[in-house]
Amino acid sequence: MIVDHGRVVGNATRAVIISNRRITGLTASVIAELVAEVGPLWHERHQARLASRPRKRAVGAGAKHQLVFVDRLLAALVHLRHGTTHDVLACWFGVDRSTITRAVGEVRPLLAERGCPIDPDVRLRTLAEVIDHLGATGMTGIIDGTEIRVRRPAVGRTDRDKFISGKSKQNAVKAMVVADEDGRVLFCSPAGPGSCADITQARQLELVKLLAGGPVVEILADAGYQGLGAQTGGRVVTPPHRKFKKNAPDWYEEMHERQRKAHSSRRIRVEHGIAHLKNWRALARYLGRREHMSDTVQAIAGLLSHQQTADLNPTQQV
């Protein structure tokens, strides 16, 4: 698909952001596709908000937006990619801080709702769609949990202890990531409390039910998901158990280590996918409001998946 980027680039700030992939993590062609896809949705919701509220003046009267949609999208992308504060973005775009805050708040849920684009005709938004996609393509899925540090909840909050991770001993939220055998991110769950175990989160997302009643697929997982294999008829494959806790024969140690490394080498792709997610500074350590955490995680997962799909299909880019 050939896209005319000249219609997107309007001023110097916009041109620099779009032309340099290091700023947003996305190529110009992917940004152009986002503008074409998300722009009409934003305009539709904006008009619906104007029409839904009690009014004394006609729709469209009063102060006009200082930022066009393209600039709103770019501000949200830079904020997600680098954790840039709203004050800095306001200076870049020459507007008030509240304008940037409103823009990010409007664009972020639209990006989260997009899901993970795998193909021009395939969009994965739920875990059930991911399982169906893996079954239809015959690819192996890989799952893993990732923790994202958050600010310490306020004193007196009733569920304050739920955010303390037993693994990292820090305040965190947790999300389950699903990748394919190429390392492409297919799904990222909404964020849950950091105290939740990986296997518990998988069960809460109904992974066992989806695998038991869905297509025959292979899902690779680490030791945190041991037990799901028996519940899914062997469809979740975890590292081999140690039958000897001590004084194991040399031949068994060699065999166990060989099997463990073979499993690790297959599931390392999801670790790479999580590392790419953490390259977006909003997920390295989240400093915003926790009620926006799920939208942030899923928006970044969708953007990363979109770019990975574009990189795997260079003929679709300009």
Side-chain angles (χ1 to χ4, degrees), residues 30-224:
V30 170
I31 294 176
E33 292 173 6
L34 287 174
V35 172
E37 177 187 348
V38 183
L41 297 176
W42 174 84
H43 181 75
E44 179 182 344
R45 293 194 182 184
H46 175 64
Q47 293 300 319
R49 283 194 299 269
L50 293 178
S52 64
R53 66 181 68 166
R55 308 187 63 86
K56 293 184 179 180
R57 293 185 293 183
V59 175
K64 301 299 185 292
H65 281 299
Q66 294 180 289
L67 285 180
V68 296
F69 172 74
V70 177
D71 292 337
R72 290 170 177 268
L73 174 64
L74 294 178
L77 293 177
V78 175
H79 171 69
L80 293 174
R81 179 67 178 179
H82 295 287
T84 309
T85 64
H86 294 183
D87 283 323
V88 173
L89 290 172
C91 294
W92 277 16
F93 288 93
V95 295
D96 190 75
R97 180 186 184 277
S98 61
T99 302
I100 297 295
T101 301
R102 188 181 306 112
V104 174
E106 292 172 352
V107 173
R108 181 172 47 209
L110 294 175
L111 296 176
E113 294 168 9
R114 295 176 64 245
C116 294
I118 304 304
D119 189 82
D121 301 322
V122 179
R123 188 68 62 88
L124 306 178
R125 294 183 175 87
T126 65
L127 187 57
E129 293 176 349
V130 173
I131 300 300
D132 291 339
H133 169 73
L134 293 173
T137 58
M139 300 185 73
T140 297
I142 315 172
I143 63 173
D144 198 8
T146 182
E147 293 185 351
I148 304 164
R149 291 182 61 189
V150 296
R151 291 181 293 111
R152 187 178 185 184
V155 176
R157 179 167 175 166
T158 56
D159 59 349
R160 192 183 191 200
D161 292 342
K162 290 184 178 180
F163 292 97
I164 300 178
S165 167
K167 180 170 66 174
S168 63
K169 311 301 181 184
Q170 295 175 336
N171 290 276
V173 296
K174 178 175 291 185
M176 188 181 80
V177 179
V178 184
D180 61 17
E181 56 197 38
D182 294 325
R184 177 169 46 178
V185 174
L186 303 181
F187 174 77
C188 190
S189 72
S195 60
C196 182
D198 289 349
I199 190 171
T200 302
Q201 187 176 45
R203 288 170 176 157
Q204 291 174 348
L205 294 170
E206 298 186 338
L207 178 64
V208 175
K209 179 180 178 181
L210 293 172
L211 290 175
V216 178
V217 298
E218 182 185 45
I219 303 293
L220 302 179
D222 63 11

Side-chain angles (χ1 to χ4, degrees), residues 299-313:
I300 291 175
L303 293 170
L304 174 60
S305 179
H306 193 164
Q307 186 59 60
Q308 289 176 324
T309 300
D311 291 339
L312 290 173
N313 300 280

Side-chain angles (χ1 to χ4, degrees), residues 245-306:
K245 294 185 177 180
K246 57 182 179 179
N247 301 324
D250 292 341
W251 64 267
Y252 177 80
E253 287 287 359
E254 181 181 349
M255 180 190 68
H256 182 272
E257 186 67 12
R258 184 170 61 251
Q259 292 176 344
R260 187 190 65 79
K261 287 185 176 180
H263 183 273
S264 297
S265 65
R266 294 186 64 197
R267 62 167 300 277
I268 193 64
R269 275 69 175 181
V270 73
E271 303 287 358
H272 296 163
I274 291 175
H276 290 311
L277 284 173
K278 295 295 182 70
N279 283 336
W280 294 69
R281 294 294 299 173
L283 299 187
R285 183 177 183 183
Y286 187 72
L287 300 176
R289 301 176 67 90
R290 277 179 293 278
E291 53 263 37
H292 302 316
M293 188 71 233
S294 292
D295 279 349
T296 300
V297 173
Q298 294 182 311
I300 291 175
L303 293 170
L304 174 60
S305 179
H306 193 164

